[in-house]
Structure formats: C-alpha cells, structure tokens
C-alpha cells in the first residue's frame, strides 16, 4: 500500500490472492514516518473507489483511533465503521471518545476482542464454553 500511495506501484500490482476463494488483501508495505501525509494525497480514496465495483466488501484496517488521525480520515471514504476495542487494555473514556468521533460516520457497532476466557459469564458465548462445574456454580447463585 505504501508503494502505491507514493506512486511507485499501480492498483492491480498491490492486490494479493489468498488461499481462500474470493478473498484478497493489500499488504501494508514499508513503514514510513509520514503515513498521514500519504493518506492526505487522495490516492487511497481513489484506490477504494476504483476497486469498489470489483468487490462485494472492502475492509480497511486502520491504526488506533485515539493517537492518530488516520482512522478518522479513512472513515470519510467508508460506508460504515466498526470499532474494535481491546478488553482490559482500551480505557472506557477512550472508547467513548472514539464512539463519539464516529457516530456521524455510520458507526455500525463495536467489537470487544481479547476477552479472557475466565471473564466470560454464562454457559456458552460465541464458541467459548465454561467448564460444567462453573456452569453449575453460576446456576446456583
């Protein structure tokens, strides 16, 4: 992606196949100190708009919302935003601030990831199941 944004590669040369049918990705490329400046040149927006007719979904993975403006800039070109919050790491105030920032940009939802297994309550939660002794203990409360 970096090479494309700097004008060193074209759209089709940066798109990579995966072993999965109909799943493609664009690797990030070289890490640069001026990433925000590269986004400001409009080439990423041009890329997204140009390849949109070829794909059902285009998912942009951005850097964290709070310390940098990249995610906010990228949200301008997207149909929706999904905020990913890391359990036990992201501060509540930071998550609230991020939700506020994206509320006018079609915030579709929030994903809570890296939830420790021990903190899951209930007998089953999206593929995680508590040991039967824990399930019985929870029912007796």
């Amino acid at each position: 992606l970096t090479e494309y944004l700097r004008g060193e590669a074209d759209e089709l040369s940066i798109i990579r196949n995966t072993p999965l049918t109909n799943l493609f990705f664009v690797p990030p490329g070289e890490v640069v100190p001026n990433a925000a400046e590269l986004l400001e040149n409009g080439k990423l927006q041009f890329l997204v708009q140009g390849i949109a007719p070829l794909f059902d979904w285009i998912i942009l993975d951005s850097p964290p919302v709070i310390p940098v403006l990249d995610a906010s800039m990228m949200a301008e070109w997207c149909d929706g935003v999904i905020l990913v919050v890391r359990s036990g790491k992201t501060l509540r105030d930071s998550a609230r601030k991020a939700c506020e920032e994206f509320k006018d940009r079609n915030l579709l939802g929030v994903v809570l990831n890296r939830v420790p297994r021990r903190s899951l309550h209930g007998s089953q939660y999206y593929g995680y199941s508590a040991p039967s002794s824990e399930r019985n203990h929870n029912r007796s409360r």
Side-chain angles (χ1 to χ4, degrees):
L1 182 61
T2 300
E3 288 72 17
Y4 169 78
L5 295 176
R6 288 194 292 201
E8 300 167 1
D10 65 30
E11 296 92 346
L12 296 179
S13 69
I14 64 171
I15 299 172
R16 304 284 190 265
N17 287 320
T18 69
L20 302 173
T21 305
N22 294 323
L23 180 65
F24 302 86
F25 76 101
V26 175
E30 181 184 331
V31 176
V32 293
N34 62 338
E37 290 175 26
L38 287 177
L39 290 178
E40 289 174 349
N41 72 15
K43 290 192 75 142
L44 181 58
Q45 182 179 11
F46 181 78
L47 172 67
V48 171
Q49 290 172 343
I51 65 172
L54 304 174
F55 298 98
D56 294 328
W57 295 90
I58 298 174
I59 299 171
L60 302 176
D61 181 18
S62 77
V65 173
I66 301 304
V68 292
L69 295 174
D70 299 1
S72 186
M73 290 170 46
M74 292 167 64
E76 294 290 329
W77 320 315
C78 298
D79 294 328
V81 173
I82 299 172
L83 185 65
V84 179
V85 177
R86 186 171 175 183
S87 175
K89 186 81 169 171
T90 305
L91 301 175
R92 284 186 179 144
D93 288 342
S94 296
R96 282 188 190 114
K97 182 178 177 185
C99 286
E100 277 297 311
E101 183 173 335
F102 291 107
K103 75 176 182 182
D104 295 330
R105 294 195 180 114
N106 197 17
L107 180 60
L108 301 173
V110 178
V111 173
L112 180 63
N113 73 354
R114 300 225 177 165
V115 177
R117 194 172 214 178
R118 69 184 180 280
S119 69
L120 295 174
H121 299 288
S123 61
Q124 194 163 27
Y125 182 79
Y126 293 101
Y128 295 101
S129 59
S132 60
S133 61
E134 186 178 322
R135 282 195 305 262
N136 294 335
H137 176 72
N138 287 338
R139 286 185 189 141
S140 63
R141 287 187 192 180

mmCIF file of all heavy atoms in Angstrom, residues 106-131:
data_model
loop_
_atom_site.group_PDB
_atom_site.id
_atom_site.type_symbol
_atom_site.label_atom_id
_atom_site.label_comp_id
_atom_site.label_asym_id
_atom_site.label_seq_id
_atom_site.Cartn_x
_atom_site.Cartn_y
_atom_site.Cartn_z
ATOM 1 N N ASN A 106 -21.584 6.684 10.389
ATOM 2 C CA ASN A 106 -22.219 5.372 10.289
ATOM 3 C C ASN A 106 -21.469 4.313 11.094
ATOM 4 O O ASN A 106 -21.008 3.308 10.557
ATOM 5 C CB ASN A 106 -22.365 4.936 8.823
ATOM 6 C CG ASN A 106 -23.368 3.805 8.683
ATOM 7 O OD1 ASN A 106 -24.166 3.541 9.576
ATOM 8 N ND2 ASN A 106 -23.336 3.132 7.556
ATOM 9 N N LEU A 107 -21.388 4.556 12.400
ATOM 10 C CA LEU A 107 -20.796 3.580 13.307
ATOM 11 C C LEU A 107 -21.724 2.366 13.360
ATOM 12 O O LEU A 107 -22.839 2.443 13.876
ATOM 13 C CB LEU A 107 -20.598 4.182 14.702
ATOM 14 C CG LEU A 107 -19.984 3.264 15.756
ATOM 15 C CD1 LEU A 107 -18.591 2.802 15.333
ATOM 16 C CD2 LEU A 107 -19.919 3.981 17.097
ATOM 17 N N LEU A 108 -21.277 1.255 12.797
ATOM 18 C CA LEU A 108 -22.097 0.050 12.700
ATOM 19 C C LEU A 108 -22.115 -0.749 13.995
ATOM 20 O O LEU A 108 -23.063 -1.470 14.258
ATOM 21 C CB LEU A 108 -21.591 -0.838 11.559
ATOM 22 C CG LEU A 108 -21.583 -0.187 10.172
ATOM 23 C CD1 LEU A 108 -20.910 -1.099 9.168
ATOM 24 C CD2 LEU A 108 -22.993 0.162 9.739
ATOM 25 N N GLY A 109 -21.050 -0.640 14.782
ATOM 26 C CA GLY A 109 -21.000 -1.384 16.026
ATOM 27 C C GLY A 109 -19.611 -1.402 16.602
ATOM 28 O O GLY A 109 -18.678 -0.804 16.062
ATOM 29 N N VAL A 110 -19.493 -2.095 17.716
ATOM 30 C CA VAL A 110 -18.229 -2.204 18.431
ATOM 31 C C VAL A 110 -17.943 -3.681 18.662
ATOM 32 O O VAL A 110 -18.833 -4.440 19.059
ATOM 33 C CB VAL A 110 -18.293 -1.463 19.784
ATOM 34 C CG1 VAL A 110 -16.990 -1.624 20.553
ATOM 35 C CG2 VAL A 110 -18.620 0.013 19.572
ATOM 36 N N VAL A 111 -16.717 -4.089 18.412
ATOM 37 C CA VAL A 111 -16.269 -5.454 18.671
ATOM 38 C C VAL A 111 -15.341 -5.410 19.876
ATOM 39 O O VAL A 111 -14.392 -4.628 19.910
ATOM 40 C CB VAL A 111 -15.513 -6.033 17.455
ATOM 41 C CG1 VAL A 111 -14.907 -7.395 17.786
ATOM 42 C CG2 VAL A 111 -16.425 -6.118 16.250
ATOM 43 N N LEU A 112 -15.625 -6.233 20.871
ATOM 44 C CA LEU A 112 -14.756 -6.361 22.038
ATOM 45 C C LEU A 112 -13.905 -7.602 21.830
ATOM 46 O O LEU A 112 -14.417 -8.717 21.789
ATOM 47 C CB LEU A 112 -15.590 -6.482 23.319
ATOM 48 C CG LEU A 112 -14.807 -6.618 24.621
ATOM 49 C CD1 LEU A 112 -13.970 -5.365 24.865
ATOM 50 C CD2 LEU A 112 -15.760 -6.856 25.780
ATOM 51 N N ASN A 113 -12.600 -7.394 21.648
ATOM 52 C CA ASN A 113 -11.746 -8.558 21.397
ATOM 53 C C ASN A 113 -10.791 -8.813 22.555
ATOM 54 O O ASN A 113 -10.684 -8.019 23.478
ATOM 55 C CB ASN A 113 -10.986 -8.416 20.068
ATOM 56 C CG ASN A 113 -9.864 -7.423 20.104
ATOM 57 O OD1 ASN A 113 -9.657 -6.709 21.065
ATOM 58 N ND2 ASN A 113 -9.114 -7.360 19.020
ATOM 59 N N ARG A 114 -10.159 -9.983 22.488
ATOM 60 C CA ARG A 114 -9.218 -10.438 23.508
ATOM 61 C C ARG A 114 -9.842 -10.503 24.898
ATOM 62 O O ARG A 114 -9.215 -10.164 25.891
ATOM 63 C CB ARG A 114 -7.969 -9.581 23.516
ATOM 64 C CG ARG A 114 -7.230 -9.611 22.195
ATOM 65 C CD ARG A 114 -5.799 -9.777 22.405
ATOM 66 N NE ARG A 114 -5.135 -9.863 21.113
ATOM 67 C CZ ARG A 114 -3.860 -9.725 20.970
ATOM 68 N NH1 ARG A 114 -3.099 -9.477 22.000
ATOM 69 N NH2 ARG A 114 -3.316 -9.841 19.796
ATOM 70 N N VAL A 115 -11.080 -10.944 24.953
ATOM 71 C CA VAL A 115 -11.758 -11.122 26.235
ATOM 72 C C VAL A 115 -11.207 -12.393 26.865
ATOM 73 O O VAL A 115 -11.261 -13.466 26.262
ATOM 74 C CB VAL A 115 -13.290 -11.250 26.054
ATOM 75 C CG1 VAL A 115 -13.967 -11.511 27.380
ATOM 76 C CG2 VAL A 115 -13.853 -10.009 25.385
ATOM 77 N N PRO A 116 -10.648 -12.304 28.061
ATOM 78 C CA PRO A 116 -10.112 -13.512 28.705
ATOM 79 C C PRO A 116 -11.224 -14.522 28.956
ATOM 80 O O PRO A 116 -12.336 -14.151 29.323
ATOM 81 C CB PRO A 116 -9.537 -13.008 30.024
ATOM 82 C CG PRO A 116 -9.497 -11.538 29.940
ATOM 83 C CD PRO A 116 -10.473 -11.122 28.891
ATOM 84 N N ARG A 117 -10.924 -15.745 28.759
ATOM 85 C CA ARG A 117 -11.908 -16.813 28.920
ATOM 86 C C ARG A 117 -12.513 -16.816 30.324
ATOM 87 O O ARG A 117 -13.693 -17.044 30.499
ATOM 88 C CB ARG A 117 -11.240 -18.146 28.635
ATOM 89 C CG ARG A 117 -12.196 -19.254 28.436
ATOM 90 C CD ARG A 117 -11.482 -20.472 27.964
ATOM 91 N NE ARG A 117 -12.411 -21.124 27.070
ATOM 92 C CZ ARG A 117 -12.172 -22.204 26.410
ATOM 93 N NH1 ARG A 117 -11.000 -22.750 26.477
ATOM 94 N NH2 ARG A 117 -13.075 -22.739 25.646
ATOM 95 N N ARG A 118 -11.720 -16.503 31.324
ATOM 96 C CA ARG A 118 -12.197 -16.539 32.703
ATOM 97 C C ARG A 118 -13.248 -15.469 32.984
ATOM 98 O O ARG A 118 -14.000 -15.581 33.933
ATOM 99 C CB ARG A 118 -11.037 -16.405 33.680
ATOM 100 C CG ARG A 118 -10.396 -15.033 33.660
ATOM 101 C CD ARG A 118 -9.184 -14.960 34.573
ATOM 102 N NE ARG A 118 -8.602 -13.654 34.519
ATOM 103 C CZ ARG A 118 -7.791 -13.199 33.580
ATOM 104 N NH1 ARG A 118 -7.454 -13.994 32.575
ATOM 105 N NH2 ARG A 118 -7.313 -11.978 33.611
ATOM 106 N N SER A 119 -13.300 -14.411 32.157
ATOM 107 C CA SER A 119 -14.258 -13.344 32.431
ATOM 108 C C SER A 119 -15.581 -13.529 31.694
ATOM 109 O O SER A 119 -16.488 -12.729 31.855
ATOM 110 C CB SER A 119 -13.658 -11.981 32.079
ATOM 111 O OG SER A 119 -13.511 -11.868 30.684
ATOM 112 N N LEU A 120 -15.689 -14.574 30.894
ATOM 113 C CA LEU A 120 -16.937 -14.812 30.182
ATOM 114 C C LEU A 120 -17.955 -15.432 31.133
ATOM 115 O O LEU A 120 -17.656 -16.381 31.847
ATOM 116 C CB LEU A 120 -16.699 -15.749 28.993
ATOM 117 C CG LEU A 120 -15.809 -15.184 27.901
ATOM 118 C CD1 LEU A 120 -15.524 -16.254 26.857
ATOM 119 C CD2 LEU A 120 -16.448 -13.976 27.248
ATOM 120 N N HIS A 121 -19.136 -14.899 31.154
ATOM 121 C CA HIS A 121 -20.188 -15.412 32.022
ATOM 122 C C HIS A 121 -21.227 -16.126 31.180
ATOM 123 O O HIS A 121 -21.464 -15.784 30.050
ATOM 124 C CB HIS A 121 -20.835 -14.275 32.806
ATOM 125 C CG HIS A 121 -19.851 -13.565 33.687
ATOM 126 N ND1 HIS A 121 -19.333 -14.144 34.827
ATOM 127 C CD2 HIS A 121 -19.257 -12.362 33.570
ATOM 128 C CE1 HIS A 121 -18.486 -13.311 35.379
ATOM 129 N NE2 HIS A 121 -18.415 -12.214 34.635
ATOM 130 N N GLY A 122 -21.863 -17.089 31.743
ATOM 131 C CA GLY A 122 -22.844 -17.874 31.014
ATOM 132 C C GLY A 122 -22.210 -19.170 30.560
ATOM 133 O O GLY A 122 -21.000 -19.340 30.570
ATOM 134 N N SER A 123 -23.035 -20.089 30.144
ATOM 135 C CA SER A 123 -22.505 -21.395 29.794
ATOM 136 C C SER A 123 -21.849 -21.410 28.423
ATOM 137 O O SER A 123 -20.961 -22.190 28.172
ATOM 138 C CB SER A 123 -23.614 -22.444 29.846
ATOM 139 O OG SER A 123 -24.620 -22.130 28.918
ATOM 140 N N GLN A 124 -22.279 -20.542 27.523
ATOM 141 C CA GLN A 124 -21.656 -20.521 26.208
ATOM 142 C C GLN A 124 -21.781 -19.134 25.613
ATOM 143 O O GLN A 124 -22.812 -18.488 25.727
ATOM 144 C CB GLN A 124 -22.308 -21.539 25.280
ATOM 145 C CG GLN A 124 -21.473 -21.767 24.042
ATOM 146 C CD GLN A 124 -21.867 -23.023 23.332
ATOM 147 O OE1 GLN A 124 -22.995 -23.453 23.425
ATOM 148 N NE2 GLN A 124 -20.944 -23.606 22.621
ATOM 149 N N TYR A 125 -20.704 -18.682 25.015
ATOM 150 C CA TYR A 125 -20.675 -17.350 24.432
ATOM 151 C C TYR A 125 -19.862 -17.420 23.155
ATOM 152 O O TYR A 125 -18.649 -17.497 23.184
ATOM 153 C CB TYR A 125 -20.045 -16.376 25.433
ATOM 154 C CG TYR A 125 -19.997 -14.953 24.967
ATOM 155 C CD1 TYR A 125 -21.117 -14.153 25.019
ATOM 156 C CD2 TYR A 125 -18.824 -14.408 24.473
ATOM 157 C CE1 TYR A 125 -21.078 -12.849 24.601
ATOM 158 C CE2 TYR A 125 -18.778 -13.097 24.056
ATOM 159 C CZ TYR A 125 -19.910 -12.331 24.120
ATOM 160 O OH TYR A 125 -19.866 -11.040 23.699
ATOM 161 N N TYR A 126 -20.510 -17.463 22.016
ATOM 162 C CA TYR A 126 -19.861 -17.484 20.713
ATOM 163 C C TYR A 126 -18.693 -18.457 20.639
ATOM 164 O O TYR A 126 -17.572 -18.088 20.350
ATOM 165 C CB TYR A 126 -19.406 -16.080 20.318
ATOM 166 C CG TYR A 126 -20.562 -15.169 20.076
ATOM 167 C CD1 TYR A 126 -20.969 -14.253 21.034
ATOM 168 C CD2 TYR A 126 -21.271 -15.250 18.894
ATOM 169 C CE1 TYR A 126 -22.049 -13.426 20.815
ATOM 170 C CE2 TYR A 126 -22.356 -14.423 18.659
ATOM 171 C CZ TYR A 126 -22.734 -13.508 19.620
ATOM 172 O OH TYR A 126 -23.803 -12.697 19.383
ATOM 173 N N GLY A 127 -18.954 -19.698 20.946
ATOM 174 C CA GLY A 127 -17.936 -20.723 20.812
ATOM 175 C C GLY A 127 -17.102 -20.967 22.053
ATOM 176 O O GLY A 127 -16.359 -21.918 22.111
ATOM 177 N N TYR A 128 -17.182 -20.100 23.034
ATOM 178 C CA TYR A 128 -16.466 -20.324 24.281
ATOM 179 C C TYR A 128 -17.439 -20.970 25.253
ATOM 180 O O TYR A 128 -18.538 -20.495 25.440
ATOM 181 C CB TYR A 128 -15.980 -19.001 24.899
ATOM 182 C CG TYR A 128 -14.951 -18.288 24.080
ATOM 183 C CD1 TYR A 128 -15.298 -17.212 23.294
ATOM 184 C CD2 TYR A 128 -13.627 -18.700 24.103
ATOM 185 C CE1 TYR A 128 -14.350 -16.542 22.544
ATOM 186 C CE2 TYR A 128 -12.667 -18.038 23.361
ATOM 187 C CZ TYR A 128 -13.037 -16.963 22.585
ATOM 188 O OH TYR A 128 -12.090 -16.306 21.856
ATOM 189 N N SER A 129 -17.034 -22.045 25.870
ATOM 190 C CA SER A 129 -17.932 -22.651 26.842
ATOM 191 C C SER A 129 -17.222 -22.771 28.180
ATOM 192 O O SER A 129 -16.032 -23.051 28.242
ATOM 193 C CB SER A 129 -18.414 -24.018 26.362
ATOM 194 O OG SER A 129 -17.319 -24.867 26.150
ATOM 195 N N ALA A 130 -17.963 -22.534 29.213
ATOM 196 C CA ALA A 130 -17.411 -22.637 30.555
ATOM 197 C C ALA A 130 -17.417 -24.100 30.970
ATOM 198 O O ALA A 130 -18.247 -24.890 30.529
ATOM 199 C CB ALA A 130 -18.258 -21.810 31.515
ATOM 200 N N PRO A 131 -16.480 -24.503 31.819
ATOM 201 C CA PRO A 131 -16.494 -25.877 32.333
ATOM 202 C C PRO A 131 -17.815 -26.152 33.033
ATOM 203 O O PRO A 131 -18.431 -25.245 33.593
ATOM 204 C CB PRO A 131 -15.324 -25.915 33.312
ATOM 205 C CG PRO A 131 -14.462 -24.749 32.971
ATOM 206 C CD PRO A 131 -15.364 -23.733 32.346
#
